[in-house]
Amino acid sequence: MDPIQPEWLAVLRDRFRRPEEPLPREEFQRLALAVFRHQFYGNAIYGAYCRGQGRVPDTVTEWRDIPPVPASAFKRLHLYSGLPSSGEGGGEAKSTPPETVFETSGTRGGPERRGRHPVASLQLYRESSTAWFGAHLVPEDEALPILALVPSPEAAPSSSLSRMMGFAMERWGAPDSRFLAHPERGVDHGAVREALRRVEGGDRPVLLMGTAFAWVHWLERAGAEGWRFRLPEGSRLMETGGFKGRARAVSRAELYASLAQGLGVSQGRMVNEYGMTELLSQLYEPVLATRGHALEDPNPPRWHRAPPWLGLQVLHPETLEPLPQGEAGLLAFLDLANVGSVAAVLTEDVGWLDGQGGLHLQGRVAGAEPRGCSLALEAVLEAGE
């Protein structure tokens, strides 16, 4: 990464390495407005959209007023701002192309309708994702075997999830750590079985990672073959991506109970990750992060914790006005890790915030696209014409 960078970006990168330290509101506000200024001038489409909303850097003084872009806009537009070159983000951006482009996995509407998130710097993604991952999955900060039921970053370079798991494996993975899936063929069930057999007799805890979809189908295969394991004490599991099976819906409680029975991992050590391709930051359940990891709680906290550089809002589905604490609505994020694209992202996910800033997810909006998202998307597309 270019060593010449504005002061605010150097501060932000330093905060990525110290995720457990609170970020004072004034500092978050300063960083957010600096990122907004950079993206307003560095991305012509986003700048035009913001002008159309009457929001420009000279008048926006509160991070919650930064206009969010619907996540669906990443399917239609190249939302790339580049990296700031110097100063406080006064409109200068590096002209270099993205280092990579992450793509969503959904295929509805064909591959041309996949969301595409241009990423200016993989090093920034490494910094923003790794320490927060460790705080929630490897609080001991010690190497352990990691088995991932996703393709490797080399096999799936457009997958933000594979890349994030790759960073984690590089940082904490013991020599017997492995990726156990292929982009086209899916999970290698036989390889997973053999890898589990090798580690279950060891004395080190194991970290298992995969999507809910992958775990559902692993359990179906394991049940059909009669496979069952008892992993070492302290082993933990991360799952992400929802709870739908190919042929039937699977509740979270059912999935976790089956995983505990089939793998010998306590439900008190199963951590859900909430993330999306359009964001470079992730949220985790504080199952291991908020108490000693030697404890076993069959009913751990099931809410999500955001890193200090990720701002959260809950908005009315039609008006996009902020909703009171405790009321459910559309989730909008201001992800300062999205320096090179667009930081403010509006989702179609529903949830609510508690008094401590914990996010309680309720799933995706059912049925038609919310009116607020639809109107915002129209405005963004008009700005891109």
Side-chain angles (χ1 to χ4, degrees):
M1 184 174 177
D2 192 334
I4 302 175
Q5 57 185 319
E7 177 271 342
W8 61 262
L9 181 54
V11 169
L12 181 59
R13 294 182 66 190
D14 179 63
R15 294 313 304 252
F16 291 159
R17 303 182 186 101
R18 299 181 288 117
E20 293 287 9
E21 294 184 20
L23 186 61
R25 184 184 183 282
E26 297 77 11
E27 184 68 358
F28 181 86
Q29 187 89 289
R30 183 177 79 89
L31 293 171
L33 296 178
V35 170
F36 174 52
R37 175 174 289 273
H38 160 63
Q39 294 179 345
F40 180 90
Y41 292 109
N43 186 322
I45 295 174
Y46 184 62
Y49 168 62
C50 293
R51 290 188 186 94
Q53 303 299 304
R55 309 285 177 86
V56 298
D58 290 340
T59 59
V60 171
T61 60
E62 162 62 43
W63 73 264
R64 292 179 176 83
D65 294 331
I66 297 173
V69 166
S72 55
F74 285 79
K75 298 179 180 180
R76 308 287 189 90
L77 301 169
H78 185 60
L79 297 173
Y80 184 62
S81 303
L83 289 176
S85 57
S86 62
E88 284 293 319
E92 302 248 342
K94 291 176 65 176
S95 59
T96 56
E99 186 171 352
T100 192
V101 177
F102 291 142
E103 295 184 350
T104 59
S105 58
T107 58
R108 186 172 61 179
E112 71 279 2
R113 282 290 181 249
R114 288 186 178 183
R116 291 177 167 85
H117 185 180
V119 178
S121 167
L122 282 174
Q123 180 59 27
L124 275 178
Y125 185 36
R126 181 193 301 272
E127 293 170 1
S128 66
S129 64
T130 304
W132 194 239
F133 175 98
H136 293 84
L137 274 305
V138 199
E140 311 93 328
D141 196 25
E142 297 176 355
L144 72 174
I146 300 178
L147 304 178
L149 276 65
V150 300
S152 70
E154 294 74 25
S158 64
S159 168
S160 59
L161 180 62
S162 289
R163 184 70 67 173
M164 183 266 285
M165 290 185 177
F167 293 151
M169 200 174 289
E170 291 172 5
R171 173 65 178 81
W172 290 284
D176 43 356
S177 300
R178 299 179 61 190
F179 288 93
L180 298 164
H182 185 273
E184 282 78 38
R185 297 189 296 271
V187 175
D188 187 335
H189 296 291
V192 175
R193 178 196 61 200
E194 294 306 315
L196 291 173
R197 283 178 175 169
R198 282 195 296 270
V199 298
E200 72 173 334
D203 56 1
R204 285 182 301 178
V206 179
L207 169 58
L208 307 175
M209 305 188 294
T211 64
F213 185 82
W215 286 122
V216 166
H217 290 285
W218 158 252
L219 288 168
E220 290 175 350
R221 178 67 177 272
E225 300 290 340
W227 301 338
R228 186 168 293 189
F229 303 89
R230 182 61 54 181
L231 297 181
E233 182 179 356
S235 293
R236 70 291 310 261
L237 181 147
M238 187 199 90
E239 63 82 21
T240 184
F243 297 91
K244 291 291 185 180
R246 188 183 305 275
R248 61 189 177 91
V250 179
S251 73
R252 182 169 183 169
E254 180 184 359
L255 176 63
Y256 280 20
S258 297
L259 287 169
Q261 185 178 36
L263 296 169
V265 177
S266 165
Q267 292 191 49
R269 291 181 178 275
M270 296 182 186
V271 178
N272 177 257
E273 180 256 11
Y274 172 81
M276 53 195 301
T277 302
E278 297 83 3
L279 300 177
L280 294 185
S281 296
Q282 300 79 37
L283 297 88
Y284 295 92
E285 292 175 328
V287 174
L288 303 179
T290 57
R291 64 176 192 276
H293 33 273
L295 299 178
E296 299 292 345
D297 183 354
N299 297 297
R302 292 300 181 193
W303 50 273
H304 287 76
R305 186 176 178 227
W309 55 84
L310 183 67
L312 285 75
Q313 290 194 85
V314 179
L315 307 180
H316 191 282
E318 293 190 3
T319 66
L320 299 187
E321 290 296 319
L323 292 173
Q325 178 183 301
E327 189 169 334
L330 295 179
L331 301 179
F333 297 96
L334 187 74
D335 187 0
L336 301 187
N338 279 21
V339 172
S341 53
V342 175
V345 177
L346 174 66
T347 78
E348 292 182 31
D349 293 329
V350 176
W352 57 277
L353 295 173
D354 62 30
Q356 286 70 49
L359 174 61
H360 298 256
L361 294 169
Q362 294 186 348
R364 290 184 63 81
V365 172
E369 181 181 40
R371 182 171 181 272
C373 289
S374 178
L375 293 176
L377 178 59
E378 287 181 15
V380 176
L381 295 178
E382 288 176 3
E385 293 178 350

